[in-house]
Amino acid sequence: MQAGVIGVHHLKIWVSDLARSRSWYERVLGLEHHISFEDDDGVVRGMSFLVPGAGFQIALRENPDLAKALSGADPFAMEVTLESLGDWVTHLDDLGIPHGPIIKASSGHAMGFADPDGIQIRLYAPEEEVRAAQVGSEGVYRPGPDPYLRENQT
């Protein structure tokens, strides 16, 4: 196959309130505003942000119906180092953002928290030794209860 993918350009997240979500994502993830998108009526309902050090962008698009429909979903995970997961716990605690514990996941260690609309954001630190132990030679991971769900966050 000649066609291929070389990376991730952006992730789009639907939000119910663009101003609120912009403030939250800039504060929590350190996003840097890149582009605003006006609709035909002249109202800005979309924005793109650079994710410092990550090589991709996060786009926020105001659409309350889609944001509500996606509440509780976990559409993506951002890769971090195992060492930085503890720093994330401290950062989220300092901001008063509820989050789940750091857990062993299918292929490493992970933790999660929710944005203002309830979309679950996962931070994932891959580790080959964990993947080998959790998945095994048959390549099947059998998880228990989801520790990231909002009602389980501490």
Side-chain angles (χ1 to χ4, degrees):
M1 179 170 121
Q2 295 293 329
V5 175
I6 61 169
V8 173
H9 182 268
H10 71 274
L11 305 172
K12 185 180 291 183
I13 302 168
W14 287 271
V15 300
S16 61
D17 182 315
L18 184 60
R20 176 187 69 172
S21 292
R22 175 186 182 171
S23 174
W24 189 90
Y25 276 91
E26 287 176 335
R27 185 171 50 97
V28 175
L29 298 182
L31 301 185
E32 300 168 357
H33 181 260
H34 184 58
I35 302 171
S36 292
F37 300 95
E38 282 187 359
D39 283 356
D40 290 340
D41 61 4
V43 176
V44 172
R45 292 194 183 90
M47 293 182 170
S48 176
F49 300 86
L50 302 174
V51 182
F56 67 90
Q57 299 172 44
I58 290 181
L60 302 178
R61 177 69 178 159
E62 189 171 272
N63 184 319
D65 293 336
L66 284 176
K68 183 178 180 182
L70 290 171
S71 182
D74 63 333
F76 64 93
M78 293 186 290
E79 187 172 338
V80 299
T81 65
L82 181 57
E83 297 77 21
S84 73
L85 279 175
D87 295 335
W88 274 101
V89 167
T90 300
H91 174 65
L92 295 170
D93 287 347
D94 288 349
L95 294 174
I97 306 290
H99 57 83
I102 296 172
I103 63 161
K104 271 190 185 174
S106 60
S107 299
H109 293 85
M111 66 171 298
F113 53 97
D115 83 350
D117 288 302
I119 293 175
Q120 302 296 308
I121 298 171
R122 311 279 171 114
L123 301 175
Y124 208 98
E127 188 176 349
E128 182 55 34
E129 295 79 19
V130 173
R131 190 203 66 75
Q134 296 286 92
V135 175
S137 60
E138 76 244 20
V140 177
Y141 174 69
R142 294 176 180 88
D146 189 342
Y148 297 117
L149 293 178
R150 185 178 287 223
E151 61 268 15
N152 293 330
Q153 292 180 342
T154 58

